[in-house]
Coordinates of all heavy atoms in Angstrom, one line a residue:
G137 N -11.8 -7.2 -8.9 CA -11.0 -6.0 -9.0 C -9.5 -6.3 -8.8 O -8.8 -5.4 -8.1
A138 N -9.0 -7.4 -9.3 CA -7.6 -7.7 -9.1 C -6.7 -6.5 -9.5 O -6.8 -6.0 -10.6 CB -7.2 -8.9 -9.9
D139 N -5.8 -6.1 -8.6 CA -5.0 -4.9 -8.8 C -3.8 -5.0 -7.9 O -4.0 -4.9 -6.6 CB -5.8 -3.6 -8.6 CG -5.0 -2.4 -8.8 OD1 -3.8 -2.4 -9.1 OD2 -5.6 -1.3 -8.7
A140 N -2.6 -5.0 -8.4 CA -1.4 -5.2 -7.6 C -1.2 -3.9 -6.7 O -0.5 -3.9 -5.7 CB -0.2 -5.3 -8.5
N141 N -1.9 -2.8 -7.1 CA -1.7 -1.5 -6.4 C -3.0 -1.1 -5.8 O -3.2 0.1 -5.5 CB -1.2 -0.4 -7.3 CG 0.1 -0.8 -8.0 OD1 1.0 -1.3 -7.3 ND2 0.2 -0.6 -9.3
A142 N -3.9 -2.0 -5.5 CA -5.2 -1.6 -4.9 C -5.1 -0.9 -3.6 O -4.2 -1.2 -2.8 CB -6.1 -2.9 -4.7
Q143 N -5.9 0.1 -3.4 CA -6.0 0.9 -2.2 C -7.4 0.9 -1.6 O -8.4 0.7 -2.3 CB -5.5 2.3 -2.4 CG -4.1 2.4 -2.9 CD -3.1 2.0 -1.9 OE1 -3.3 2.2 -0.7 NE2 -1.9 1.4 -2.4
P144 N -7.5 1.1 -0.3 CA -8.9 1.2 0.3 C -9.7 2.3 -0.2 O -9.1 3.3 -0.7 CB -8.6 1.3 1.8 CG -7.2 0.9 2.0 CD -6.5 1.2 0.7
G145 N -11.0 2.2 -0.3 CA -11.8 3.3 -0.7 C -11.7 4.4 0.3 O -11.3 4.3 1.5
R146 N -12.0 5.6 -0.1 CA -11.9 6.8 0.7 C -12.9 6.7 1.9 O -14.0 6.2 1.7 CB -12.3 8.1 -0.1 CG -11.2 8.4 -1.1 CD -11.6 9.5 -2.0 NE -11.7 10.7 -1.3 CZ -10.7 11.5 -0.9 NH1 -9.5 11.2 -1.3 NH2 -10.9 12.7 -0.3
S147 N -12.5 7.2 3.0 CA -13.4 7.1 4.2 C -14.5 8.1 4.2 O -14.4 9.1 3.5 CB -12.5 7.3 5.5 OG -12.2 8.6 5.6
S148 N -15.5 7.8 4.9 CA -16.7 8.7 4.9 C -16.4 10.0 5.6 O -17.2 10.9 5.5 CB -17.9 8.0 5.6 OG -17.5 7.6 7.0
S149 N -15.3 10.0 6.3 CA -15.0 11.2 7.1 C -14.5 12.3 6.1 O -14.3 13.5 6.5 CB -14.0 11.0 8.1 OG -12.8 10.4 7.6
G150 N -14.2 11.9 4.8 CA -13.8 13.0 3.9 C -12.4 13.4 4.0 O -11.6 13.0 4.9
S151 N -12.0 14.3 3.1 CA -10.6 14.7 3.0 C -10.1 15.6 4.2 O -8.9 15.8 4.4 CB -10.3 15.4 1.7 OG -11.2 16.6 1.6
S152 N -11.1 16.1 5.0 CA -10.7 17.1 6.0 C -9.8 16.4 7.1 O -9.1 17.1 7.8 CB -11.9 17.7 6.7 OG -12.7 16.6 7.3
R153 N -9.8 15.0 7.1 CA -9.0 14.3 8.1 C -7.5 14.6 7.8 O -6.7 14.5 8.7 CB -9.2 12.8 8.0 CG -10.6 12.4 8.5 CD -10.6 10.9 8.5 NE -9.6 10.3 9.3 CZ -9.2 9.0 9.3 NH1 -9.9 8.2 8.4 NH2 -8.3 8.5 10.1
D154 N -7.2 15.0 6.6 CA -5.7 15.2 6.3 C -5.2 16.5 6.9 O -4.0 16.8 6.9 CB -5.6 15.3 4.7 CG -4.2 15.3 4.2 OD1 -3.4 14.5 4.7 OD2 -3.9 16.2 3.4
A155 N -6.1 17.4 7.5 CA -5.7 18.7 7.9 C -4.5 18.7 8.8 O -3.6 19.5 8.8 CB -6.9 19.5 8.5
D156 N -4.5 17.8 9.8 CA -3.5 17.7 10.8 C -2.6 16.5 10.7 O -1.8 16.2 11.6 CB -4.2 17.7 12.1 CG -5.0 19.0 12.4 OD1 -4.5 20.1 12.1 OD2 -6.1 18.9 12.9
R157 N -2.6 15.8 9.5 CA -1.9 14.6 9.4 C -0.5 14.9 8.9 O -0.1 14.6 7.8 CB -2.5 13.6 8.4 CG -3.9 13.1 8.9 CD -3.8 12.3 10.1 NE -2.9 11.1 10.0 CZ -3.3 10.0 9.4 NH1 -4.6 9.8 9.0 NH2 -2.5 9.0 9.3
T158 N 0.3 15.6 9.7 CA 1.7 15.8 9.4 C 2.6 15.5 10.6 O 2.0 15.5 11.7 CB 1.9 17.3 9.0 OG1 1.5 18.2 10.0 CG2 1.3 17.6 7.7
S159 N 3.8 15.3 10.4 CA 4.7 15.0 11.5 C 5.1 16.2 12.2 O 5.6 17.2 11.6 CB 6.0 14.2 11.0 OG 7.0 14.2 12.0
P160 N 4.9 16.4 13.5 CA 5.3 17.6 14.2 C 6.7 18.0 14.1 O 7.2 19.1 14.0 CB 4.9 17.3 15.6 CG 3.9 16.2 15.6 CD 4.3 15.4 14.4
A161 N 7.6 16.9 14.0 CA 9.0 17.2 14.0 C 9.5 17.6 12.6 O 10.3 18.5 12.5 CB 9.7 15.9 14.4
S162 N 9.0 16.9 11.6 CA 9.5 17.2 10.3 C 8.6 17.9 9.3 O 9.0 18.5 8.3 CB 9.9 15.8 9.6 OG 8.7 15.1 9.4
G163 N 7.3 17.9 9.6 CA 6.3 18.5 8.8 C 6.0 17.6 7.6 O 5.3 18.1 6.7
A164 N 6.5 16.4 7.6 CA 6.2 15.5 6.5 C 4.8 15.1 6.5 O 4.1 15.0 7.5 CB 7.1 14.2 6.6
L165 N 4.2 14.9 5.2 CA 2.9 14.5 5.1 C 2.7 13.1 5.6 O 3.6 12.3 5.4 CB 2.5 14.6 3.6 CG 2.4 15.9 2.9 CD1 2.3 15.8 1.5 CD2 1.3 16.7 3.5
A166 N 1.5 12.7 6.2 CA 1.2 11.4 6.4 C 0.9 10.8 5.0 O 0.1 11.3 4.2 CB 0.0 11.3 7.3
V167 N 1.4 9.6 4.7 CA 1.2 9.0 3.4 C 0.0 8.1 3.6 O 0.1 6.8 3.9 CB 2.4 8.1 3.0 CG1 2.2 7.5 1.6 CG2 3.6 9.0 2.9
D168 N -1.2 8.7 3.5 CA -2.4 7.9 3.9 C -3.4 7.9 2.7 O -4.6 7.4 2.9 CB -3.1 8.6 5.1 CG -3.4 10.1 4.9 OD1 -3.3 10.6 3.8 OD2 -3.9 10.7 5.9
G169 N -3.1 8.4 1.6 CA -4.0 8.4 0.4 C -5.2 9.4 0.5 O -6.1 9.3 -0.4
K170 N -5.2 10.3 1.4 CA -6.3 11.2 1.6 C -5.8 12.6 1.1 O -4.9 13.2 1.7 CB -6.8 11.2 3.0 CG -7.3 9.9 3.5 CD -7.8 10.0 4.9 CE -8.4 8.6 5.3 NZ -7.4 7.5 5.4
F171 N -6.5 13.2 0.2 CA -6.1 14.5 -0.4 C -6.9 15.6 0.4 O -8.0 15.9 0.1 CB -6.4 14.6 -1.9 CG -5.8 15.8 -2.5 CD1 -4.5 15.7 -3.0 CD2 -6.5 17.0 -2.6 CE1 -4.0 16.8 -3.6 CE2 -6.0 18.1 -3.3 CZ -4.7 18.0 -3.7
G172 N -6.3 16.1 1.4 CA -6.8 17.2 2.2 C -6.0 18.5 2.2 O -5.1 18.6 1.4
P173 N -6.2 19.4 3.1 CA -5.5 20.6 3.1 C -4.0 20.5 3.2 O -3.3 21.3 2.5 CB -6.1 21.4 4.3 CG -7.5 20.8 4.4 CD -7.3 19.3 4.1
A174 N -3.5 19.6 4.0 CA -2.1 19.5 4.2 C -1.4 19.1 2.9 O -0.4 19.6 2.5 CB -1.7 18.5 5.3
T175 N -2.0 18.1 2.2 CA -1.5 17.6 1.0 C -1.6 18.7 -0.1 O -0.7 18.9 -0.9 CB -2.2 16.3 0.5 OG1 -2.0 15.3 1.5 CG2 -1.6 15.8 -0.8
T176 N -2.7 19.4 -0.1 CA -2.9 20.5 -1.0 C -1.9 21.6 -0.9 O -1.3 22.1 -1.9 CB -4.3 21.1 -0.8 OG1 -5.3 20.1 -1.0 CG2 -4.6 22.2 -1.8
R177 N -1.6 22.0 0.4 CA -0.6 23.0 0.6 C 0.8 22.6 0.0 O 1.5 23.4 -0.5 CB -0.5 23.4 2.1 CG -1.6 24.2 2.6 CD -1.4 24.8 3.9 NE -1.4 23.7 5.0 CZ -2.5 23.2 5.6 NH1 -3.6 23.8 5.3 NH2 -2.4 22.3 6.5
S178 N 1.1 21.3 0.3 CA 2.4 20.8 -0.2 C 2.5 20.8 -1.7 O 3.5 21.2 -2.3 CB 2.7 19.4 0.4 OG 4.0 18.9 0.1
L179 N 1.4 20.4 -2.3 CA 1.3 20.4 -3.8 C 1.4 21.8 -4.3 O 2.1 22.1 -5.3 CB 0.0 19.8 -4.2 CG -0.3 19.8 -5.7 CD1 0.8 18.9 -6.5 CD2 -1.7 19.3 -6.0
Q180 N 0.8 22.8 -3.6 CA 0.8 24.2 -4.0 C 2.3 24.7 -3.9 O 2.7 25.5 -4.8 CB -0.1 25.0 -3.2 CG -1.6 24.8 -3.5 CD -2.5 25.5 -2.5 OE1 -2.3 25.4 -1.3 NE2 -3.6 26.1 -3.0
G181 N 3.0 24.3 -2.9 CA 4.4 24.7 -2.8 C 5.2 24.1 -3.9 O 6.1 24.8 -4.4
W182 N 4.9 22.9 -4.4 CA 5.7 22.3 -5.5 C 5.4 23.1 -6.8 O 6.4 23.3 -7.5 CB 5.3 20.9 -5.6 CG 5.9 20.1 -6.7 CD1 7.3 20.1 -7.1 CD2 5.3 19.3 -7.8 NE1 7.5 19.4 -8.2 CE2 6.3 18.9 -8.6 CE3 4.0 19.0 -8.0 CZ2 6.0 18.0 -9.7 CZ3 3.7 18.1 -9.1 CH2 4.7 17.7 -9.9
I183 N 4.2 23.5 -7.0 CA 3.9 24.2 -8.3 C 4.1 25.7 -8.2 O 4.0 26.4 -9.2 CB 2.5 23.9 -8.8 CG1 1.4 24.4 -7.8 CG2 2.3 22.4 -9.0 CD1 0.0 24.1 -8.2
G184 N 4.4 26.2 -7.0 CA 4.8 27.6 -6.9 C 3.7 28.6 -6.8 O 3.8 29.7 -7.3
V185 N 2.6 28.2 -6.1 CA 1.5 29.1 -5.9 C 1.3 29.3 -4.4 O 1.9 28.6 -3.6 CB 0.2 28.7 -6.5 CG1 0.4 28.6 -8.1 CG2 -0.3 27.3 -6.0
S186 N 0.4 30.2 -4.0 CA 0.1 30.4 -2.6 C -0.4 29.2 -1.9 O -1.3 28.6 -2.4 CB -0.9 31.6 -2.4 OG -1.3 31.8 -1.1
K187 N 0.2 28.9 -0.8 CA -0.2 27.6 0.0 C -1.4 27.9 0.9 O -1.1 28.0 2.1 CB 1.0 27.0 0.7 CG 2.2 26.6 -0.3 CD 3.3 25.9 0.4 CE 4.2 26.8 1.2 NZ 5.3 26.0 1.8
D188 N -2.5 27.9 0.4 CA -3.7 28.2 1.2 C -4.6 27.0 1.5 O -5.6 27.1 2.2 CB -4.6 29.3 0.6 CG -5.1 28.9 -0.8 OD1 -4.9 27.7 -1.2 OD2 -5.7 29.8 -1.5
G189 N -4.2 25.8 1.0 CA -4.9 24.6 1.3 C -6.1 24.3 0.5 O -6.8 23.4 0.8
S190 N -6.3 25.1 -0.6 CA -7.5 25.0 -1.4 C -7.1 25.2 -2.9 O -6.6 26.3 -3.2 CB -8.6 25.9 -1.0 OG -9.7 25.8 -1.8
L191 N -7.3 24.2 -3.7 CA -6.9 24.4 -5.2 C -7.9 25.3 -5.9 O -9.1 24.9 -6.1 CB -6.8 23.0 -5.9 CG -5.6 22.2 -5.6 CD1 -5.7 20.9 -6.5 CD2 -4.3 22.9 -6.0
S192 N -7.5 26.4 -6.4 CA -8.3 27.3 -7.2 C -8.1 26.9 -8.7 O -7.2 26.1 -9.0 CB -7.9 28.7 -7.0 OG -6.6 28.9 -7.5
T193 N -8.8 27.6 -9.6 CA -8.7 27.4 -11.0 C -7.3 27.7 -11.4 O -6.7 27.0 -12.2 CB -9.7 28.2 -11.8 OG1 -11.1 27.7 -11.4 CG2 -9.6 27.9 -13.3
S194 N -6.8 28.8 -10.9 CA -5.5 29.3 -11.3 C -4.4 28.3 -10.8 O -3.4 28.1 -11.5 CB -5.2 30.7 -10.8 OG -5.2 30.8 -9.4
D195 N -4.7 27.7 -9.6 CA -3.7 26.7 -9.1 C -3.7 25.5 -10.0 O -2.6 24.9 -10.3 CB -4.1 26.3 -7.7 CG -4.0 27.4 -6.6 OD1 -3.3 28.4 -6.9 OD2 -4.6 27.2 -5.5
I196 N -4.8 25.1 -10.4 CA -4.9 23.9 -11.3 C -4.2 24.1 -12.6 O -3.5 23.3 -13.1 CB -6.4 23.5 -11.5 CG1 -7.0 23.0 -10.2 CG2 -6.5 22.4 -12.6 CD1 -8.5 22.8 -10.2
K197 N -4.3 25.4 -13.1 CA -3.7 25.8 -14.4 C -2.1 25.7 -14.1 O -1.4 25.3 -15.0 CB -4.1 27.1 -14.8 CG -5.5 27.2 -15.4 CD -5.8 28.6 -15.9 CE -7.2 28.6 -16.6 NZ -7.6 29.9 -17.0
A198 N -1.7 26.2 -13.0 CA -0.3 26.1 -12.7 C 0.2 24.7 -12.6 O 1.3 24.3 -13.0 CB 0.0 26.8 -11.3
L199 N -0.6 23.8 -12.0 CA -0.3 22.4 -11.9 C -0.2 21.8 -13.3 O 0.7 21.0 -13.6 CB -1.4 21.6 -11.1 CG -1.3 20.1 -11.1 CD1 0.0 19.6 -10.5 CD2 -2.5 19.5 -10.3
Q200 N -1.2 22.1 -14.1 CA -1.2 21.6 -15.5 C 0.0 22.0 -16.3 O 0.6 21.2 -17.0 CB -2.5 22.0 -16.2 CG -3.7 21.3 -15.6 CD -5.1 21.9 -16.0 OE1 -5.2 23.1 -16.3 NE2 -6.1 21.1 -16.2
S201 N 0.4 23.3 -16.1 CA 1.7 23.7 -16.7 C 2.9 22.9 -16.2 O 3.8 22.6 -17.0 CB 1.9 25.2 -16.4 OG 0.9 26.0 -17.0
K202 N 2.8 22.7 -14.9 CA 4.0 21.9 -14.3 C 4.1 20.5 -14.9 O 5.2 20.0 -15.1 CB 3.7 21.8 -12.8 CG 4.9 21.2 -12.0 CD 6.0 22.0 -11.8 CE 7.0 21.5 -10.8 NZ 8.2 22.3 -10.6
V203 N 3.0 19.9 -15.1 CA 3.0 18.5 -15.5 C 2.8 18.3 -17.0 O 2.9 17.1 -17.6 CB 1.9 17.6 -14.8 CG1 2.2 17.6 -13.3 CG2 0.5 18.1 -15.2
G204 N 2.6 19.4 -17.8 CA 2.5 19.4 -19.2 C 1.1 18.9 -19.8 O 1.0 18.4 -20.9
A205 N 0.1 19.3 -19.0 CA -1.3 19.0 -19.4 C -1.9 20.3 -20.0 O -1.4 21.4 -19.8 CB -2.1 18.5 -18.2
G206 N -3.0 20.1 -20.7 CA -3.7 21.3 -21.2 C -4.2 22.2 -20.1 O -4.8 21.7 -19.2
R207 N -4.0 23.5 -20.3 CA -4.3 24.4 -19.1 C -5.7 24.9 -19.2 O -6.0 26.0 -19.6 CB -3.3 25.6 -19.2 CG -1.9 25.2 -19.0 CD -1.0 26.5 -19.0 NE -1.2 27.3 -17.8 CZ -1.8 28.5 -17.8 NH1 -2.3 28.9 -18.9 NH2 -1.9 29.2 -16.7
D208 N -6.7 24.1 -18.8 CA -8.1 24.5 -18.8 C -8.6 24.8 -17.3 O -9.8 25.1 -17.2 CB -9.0 23.5 -19.5 CG -8.9 22.1 -18.8 OD1 -8.2 21.9 -17.7 OD2 -9.6 21.1 -19.3
G209 N -7.8 24.6 -16.4 CA -8.2 24.8 -15.0 C -9.2 23.8 -14.4 O -9.7 24.0 -13.3
K210 N -9.3 22.7 -15.1 CA -10.2 21.6 -14.6 C -9.4 20.3 -14.6 O -8.7 19.9 -15.4 CB -11.4 21.4 -15.6 CG -12.2 22.7 -15.8 CD -13.3 22.5 -16.8 CE -14.1 23.7 -17.0 NZ -15.2 23.5 -18.1

Side-chain angles (χ1 to χ4, degrees):
D139 181 358
N141 300 315
Q143 297 294 328
R146 292 173 64 82
S147 70
S148 60
S149 58
S151 61
S152 63
R153 289 185 58 192
D154 189 50
D156 298 315
R157 296 297 300 278
T158 57
S159 166
S162 65
L165 295 169
V167 182
D168 59 5
K170 300 178 175 68
F171 192 86
T175 302
T176 301
R177 285 191 293 271
S178 186
L179 178 64
Q180 288 172 320
W182 178 49
I183 62 180
V185 299
S186 176
K187 295 190 283 184
D188 60 9
S190 178
L191 281 183
S192 66
T193 299
S194 61
D195 292 346
I196 295 170
K197 287 181 178 179
L199 170 63
Q200 290 167 328
S201 295
K202 182 80 172 179
V203 300
R207 297 182 71 254
D208 61 3
K210 300 176 182 178

